[in-house]
């Protein structure tokens, strides 16, 4: 099933994940094994391990924030306000599904092509004022191993911080990405947008 998301990056909006590249179909067993948490597949695991599930979901959200959609998401939109040589989407464009000109007429999707974040016309002409609907991310079987590994590392890091805070009674503080997770995910970081 696809998820619809706006092309803009939300600020301080926490997504409930439950079915992500780290927990496909709600199955947390692989990441639990990696983190050393006793796990059994199935819905009972999430109910019995709320703190761990929260750490895994936070890790999935953190990777999405830095790298854009990991799970294949459809219905993302890019509004091009005026004609331009190339339009730049906030997320990598996996597929362009529709293009609607500013006057409301549908344009032929086949006349547009995407390379990473950049959308151009196949013939080199300008991209007109329009709304481009696109998909981003990867199908479950095609998610890059490095991104999954980065998510696992980050989940383990968050889980260990949670355990440490539980033992000491200290409230959770700010956390940073562990170096290994950063190096795995870095090739997929979103390009900075806006003025330099």
């Amino acid at each position: 099933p696809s998820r619809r998301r706006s092309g803009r990056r939300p600020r301080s909006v926490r997504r409930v994940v439950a079915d992500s590249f780290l927990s496909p179909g709600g199955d947390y067993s692989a990441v639990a094994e990696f983190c050393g948490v006793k796990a059994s597949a199935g819905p009972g695991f999430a109910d019995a391990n709320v703190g761990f599930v929260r750490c895994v979901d936070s890790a999935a959200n953190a990777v999405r924030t830095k790298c854009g959609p990991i799970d294949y998401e459809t219905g993302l939109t890019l509004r091009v306000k005026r004609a331009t040589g190339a339009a730049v989407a906030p997320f990598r464009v996996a597929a362009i599904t529709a293009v609607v000109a500013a006057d409301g007429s549908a344009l032929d999707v086949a006349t547009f092509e995407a390379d990473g974040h950049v959308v151009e016309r196949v013939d080199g002409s300008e991209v007109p004022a329009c709304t481009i609907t696109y998909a981003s991310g990867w199908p479950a079987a095609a998610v890059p191993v490095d991104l999954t590994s980065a998510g696992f590392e980050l989940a383990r890091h968050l889980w260990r911080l949670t355990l440490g805070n539980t033992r000491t009674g200290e409230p959770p503080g700010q956390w940073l990405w562990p170096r290994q997770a950063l190096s795995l995910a870095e090739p997929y970081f979103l390009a900075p947008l806006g003025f330099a």
Side-chain angles (χ1 to χ4, degrees), residues 67-86:
C67 302
I70 309 303
D71 296 311
Y72 196 75
E73 295 181 22
T74 60
L76 301 167
T77 58
L78 168 63
R79 186 169 168 236
V80 180
K81 294 181 181 180
R82 61 183 64 82
T84 182

Side-chain angles (χ1 to χ4, degrees), residues 11-195:
R11 294 188 187 268
S12 69
V13 173
R14 185 174 162 88
R15 294 180 341 123
V16 176
V17 182
D19 178 13
S20 74
F21 70 106
L22 297 180
S23 56
D27 182 2
Y28 291 84
S29 59
V31 69
E33 182 180 333
F34 180 82
C35 296
V37 174
K38 284 191 174 185
S40 57
F45 175 78
D47 296 335
N49 297 279
V50 174
F52 177 72
V53 166
R54 188 176 302 122
C55 289
V56 175
D57 290 351
S58 292
N61 277 326
V63 174
R64 186 187 188 280
T65 298
K66 279 202 181 288
C67 302
I70 309 303
D71 296 311
Y72 196 75
E73 295 181 22
T74 60
L76 301 167
T77 58
L78 168 63
R79 186 169 168 236
V80 180
K81 294 181 181 180
R82 61 183 64 82
T84 182
V88 180
F91 302 128
R92 285 176 197 85
V93 179
I96 299 170
T97 55
V99 181
V100 177
D103 66 6
S105 61
L107 301 176
D108 184 4
V109 173
T111 64
F112 294 83
E113 64 184 355
D115 183 11
H117 294 254
V118 179
V119 177
E120 297 175 301
R121 296 297 293 262
V122 175
D123 63 6
S125 63
E126 286 191 324
V127 175
C130 63
T131 299
I132 300 170
T133 304
Y134 68 101
S136 186
W138 293 268
V143 171
V145 173
D146 284 350
L147 285 176
T148 302
S149 298
F152 275 39
E153 289 289 345
L154 193 52
R156 179 166 61 185
H157 175 70
L158 292 172
W159 178 238
R160 286 178 177 170
L161 285 176
T162 301
L163 290 178
N165 289 331
T166 302
R167 290 185 190 123
T168 63
E170 294 177 20
Q174 291 206 353
W175 54 273
L176 300 173
W177 279 51
R179 195 172 294 170
Q180 187 168 355
L182 269 176
S183 65
L184 288 164
E186 195 168 24
Y188 301 95
F189 282 179
L190 293 170
L193 297 176
F195 297 103

